[in-house]
Amino acid sequence: MSKRFMSAAVMDKPLSIEIKEVEMPEPKADEALIKVYCIGVCGSDIHYYEHGKIGRYEVKQPIILGHELAGEVVKVGEKVTNVSVGDRVAVEPGITCGRCDYCKSGRYNLCPDVVFMATPPVDGAWADYVAVRSDFLFKLPDEMSYEQGALLEPLSVGFHAMRRGKVGPADRVLVLGLGPIGLLAIQSAKLFGVTEIYGSDVLPFRRELALEMGASGVVNPIGDALEQISSLAGGKGVDVIIETSGNARAVSDTVRMVKRGGRIVFVGLPATDAIPMDIPLLVDSELDMYGVFRYANTYPAAIQALSRSTPDIEKVITHRYSLDEIKEAVEVARTQKDKSIKVMIYPNGGIQK
Ligand SMILES: [Zn+2]
Ligand SMILES: [Zn+2]
């Protein structure tokens, strides 16, 4: 059989990315071939692009980045039954073993054998096509766009944070850090029935966007954030904090910001290992704390919730580029953090619904 080729954005070393013709993937028996229509630029992609590594994962050979995507099924392997050619799907980018204790107990985000897209040496999908195991494909209802489909990935982190923090309609929620994850955590809180959601970020443009996306109030953490938050919440305090900034001081302050008996969900990764925290206060206040690593079993629930509401999740998209413009797209995401939230790439001829 003759080989077919496609365009893909290949990064061969930090700050060097180029569109190349690469061999088109051929789906295995349990995989489907996806024509990629919309794919996000994530903070982790930018980190690999800039530094060539995150923790123990290092770019040692040319890699295709990108893992937040939606597209159309154009070919299926002979064992695939859950999707067919022509289906519009969102792709969950971490393929797990399905056999370990974590997978079997439903916490498959902790699977030690996960193969996660765009995590070296695994290729991602800043490309025209990608082959994906079909049980990680989720059909999009007609009313959901490819953009919404691609945003299911970062939204899932917020969704998982709500579940971890046992968030419900009676809670007052405070989101620290209003980047894509923080803003989509606000959207997740709304989908979980929360009516009082506050946000905190140093950048005015992010605070404004948070208000547009449904935050009840916002604060600038420079200054007396504690006082501002307590006045916003009518002196009642916040029940749950979702920490997405990774800022050491914000992390340390969470125990003072949340009310007694409250819950703190840590999503952002601080750059330092050890952060001081007032443990006597934590004990005295009987706080619950949770870590969040990616997500599990969020796509079906998020699709159902989104298709039955009028979500504003696309408001996080501040920039749109074709695959050919990848260099500009990653540079905007890397250097214009004061103006950009989510940068989206549209392979296969630009924006499609
Ligand atoms: Zn991501
Ligand atoms: Zn597993």
Side-chain angles (χ1 to χ4, degrees):
M1 208 175 71
S2 68
K3 281 180 180 159
R4 296 170 65 201
F5 292 86
M6 65 169 186
S7 296
V10 180
M11 170 192 156
D12 45 11
K13 58 177 194 294
L15 302 178
S16 164
I17 193 165
E18 223 183 303
I19 299 297
K20 295 200 171 136
E21 291 296 297
V22 303
E23 214 175 292
M24 202 155 131
E26 182 60 28
K28 299 192 190 98
D30 58 354
E31 291 180 341
L33 186 66
I34 309 301
K35 188 171 185 179
V36 183
Y37 279 125
C38 183
I39 177 160
V41 175
C42 178
S44 65
D45 297 319
I46 292 303
H47 204 91
Y48 285 122
Y49 170 70
E50 199 167 3
H51 306 286
K53 62 176 194 168
I54 297 179
R56 63 196 158 101
Y57 299 101
E58 197 174 341
V59 179
K60 290 182 179 152
Q61 63 199 57
I63 188 171
I64 300 170
L65 296 170
H67 61 259
E68 306 174 349
L69 68 145
E72 184 185 347
V73 176
V74 291
K75 192 174 182 183
V76 292
E78 71 261 22
K79 285 189 188 152
V80 172
T81 54
N82 64 320
V83 292
S84 21
V85 171
D87 283 346
R88 300 162 67 255
V89 293
V91 175
E92 185 175 340
I95 310 300
T96 53
C97 83
R99 284 184 284 269
C100 71
D101 288 348
Y102 293 115
C103 282
K104 295 193 100 170
S105 68
R107 299 183 75 181
Y108 64 78
N109 53 321
L110 305 178
C111 174
D113 295 321
V114 66
V115 176
F116 203 90
M117 271 188 199
T119 303
V122 182
D123 275 332
W126 286 347
D128 287 335
Y129 296 90
V130 65
V132 184
R133 209 172 79 198
S134 72
D135 53 325
F136 286 88
L137 300 175
F138 298 90
K139 279 189 228 180
L140 294 174
D142 293 343
E143 61 272 22
M144 273 182 76
S145 64
Y146 285 124
E147 288 184 342
Q148 290 181 341
L151 288 169
L152 283 170
E153 203 277 340
L155 180 76
S156 284
V157 178
F159 222 82
H160 189 55
M162 297 305 137
R163 284 185 179 157
R164 295 279 292 149
K166 302 177 175 64
V167 171
D171 290 319
R172 290 185 181 81
V173 174
L174 169 64
V175 178
L176 301 179
L178 300 172
I181 296 292
L183 291 167
L184 292 171
I186 289 177
Q187 291 285 297
S188 300
K190 279 172 75 180
L191 293 172
F192 274 68
V194 179
T195 55
E196 272 189 60
I197 313 163
Y198 304 102
S200 164
D201 198 288
V202 289
L203 294 173
F205 120 95
R206 292 181 170 196
R207 294 199 297 271
E208 270 154 43
L209 196 49
L211 289 172
E212 268 178 53
M213 291 178 68
S216 329
V218 289
V219 300
N220 182 350
I222 310 277
D224 199 337
L226 290 180
E227 207 167 278
Q228 293 181 70
I229 288 155
S230 82
S231 71
L232 277 177
K236 297 194 178 80
V238 292
D239 303 276
V240 184
I241 292 181
I242 311 290
E243 203 312 294
T244 75
S245 74
N247 177 286
R249 199 182 129 203
V251 168
S252 187
D253 278 346
T254 51
V255 290
R256 281 182 287 277
M257 288 178 169
V258 78
K259 76 182 202 190
R260 292 191 87 200
R263 288 98 76 196
I264 304 168
V265 185
F266 293 105
V267 182
L269 268 188
T272 48
D273 291 342
I275 293 175
M277 189 167 273
D278 187 339
I279 301 299
L281 178 61
L282 181 161
V283 173
D284 186 83
S285 308
E286 206 170 75
L287 303 181
D288 292 326
M289 291 191 176
Y290 305 90
V292 158
F293 180 67
R294 295 175 183 152
Y295 42 78
N297 295 310
T298 50
Y299 276 63
I303 288 172
Q304 189 178 347
L306 284 177
S307 66
R308 278 158 209 277
S309 66
T310 44
D312 308 308
I313 59 171
E314 297 101 317
K315 287 194 175 136
V316 297
I317 305 175
T318 51
H319 295 76
R320 294 173 165 87
Y321 294 99
S322 70
L323 184 61
D324 295 337
E325 300 165 311
I326 189 73
K327 180 81 186 173
E328 198 182 335
V330 291
E331 281 300 327
V332 162
R334 183 174 81 90
T335 59
Q336 299 187 20
K337 296 206 167 97
D338 55 334
K339 294 192 201 79
S340 68
I341 300 279
K342 182 55 74 185
V343 176
M344 279 291 189
I345 312 286
Y346 301 80
N348 289 297
I351 298 170
Q352 307 248 353
K353 277 292 162 185

